[in-house]
Amino acid sequence: TRMTTSDPLADMFTRIRNAAAAHHEEVRVPASNVKRAVADVLRQEGYLRGISELTEGPRNYLKLDITYGDDRKAMLSGIRRVSRPGLRVYVSKQEIPRVFGGLGIAIMSTSQGVMSGREAWRRKIGGEVLCYVW
């Protein structure tokens, strides 16, 4: 019984949030290109240790390994969907948000791919704000 969701990214974020809160080493999410791209940013920013792909029958999954510090706390304490199917949130390059005074990151979908808000700012491009992570 697979739950169909109108917002697969929100579902991915919930799974990651729950897994980190429960101290799971890894979490699986149904694979897609945009989820893979978001996971890559999470890995670059240190929130995930690794990403691998699994195929089980007809379905592909991403296995995300969550990063924990020496204190056994997940590096990722929160992840929040910003733009959603019902309300898309786009920003120009001047409006790229800083998340928790720069302690967190925004993940954005831009014309040059999915990247952190910092990277988008560096490249002077705006786009859709997929989520905040801290």
Side-chain angles (χ1 to χ4, degrees):
T1 57
R2 178 164 145 271
M3 192 191 85
T4 52
T5 166
S6 60
D7 189 352
L9 269 184
D11 174 66
M12 170 182 176
F13 298 154
T14 299
R15 291 182 196 211
I16 293 173
R17 200 183 301 117
N18 292 347
H23 290 95
H24 293 174
E25 285 296 314
E26 61 184 50
V27 59
R28 288 176 177 207
V29 298
S32 75
N33 288 339
V34 70
K35 288 185 206 174
R36 193 173 299 107
V38 167
D40 280 334
V41 176
L42 289 172
R43 194 188 60 221
Q44 287 157 17
E45 297 285 337
Y47 295 106
L48 297 177
R49 280 183 298 118
I51 303 165
S52 48
E53 307 215 12
L54 306 167
T55 302
E56 283 177 11
R59 303 208 197 297
N60 291 327
Y61 292 93
L62 297 175
K63 182 169 82 71
L64 310 176
D65 301 317
I66 297 168
T67 307
Y68 291 94
D70 297 333
D71 56 359
R72 291 294 299 140
K73 285 189 61 166
M75 293 298 293
L76 183 144
S77 55
I79 185 165
R80 183 165 77 81
R81 187 78 161 111
V82 177
S83 193
R84 344 184 272 277
L87 182 65
R88 300 283 178 185
V89 177
Y90 297 96
V91 295
S92 68
K93 60 178 184 288
Q94 294 89 0
E95 302 168 317
I96 293 172
R98 289 188 69 206
V99 180
F100 287 121
L103 296 175
I105 62 164
I107 297 183
M108 296 179 47
S109 177
T110 74
S111 58
Q112 296 176 25
V114 173
M115 62 187 71
S116 71
R118 201 178 304 114
E119 177 67 15
W121 183 83
R122 219 174 50 72
R123 297 194 198 185
K124 300 184 170 52
I125 49 178
E128 184 182 359
V129 183
L130 299 178
C131 65
Y132 295 152
V133 189
W134 62 93

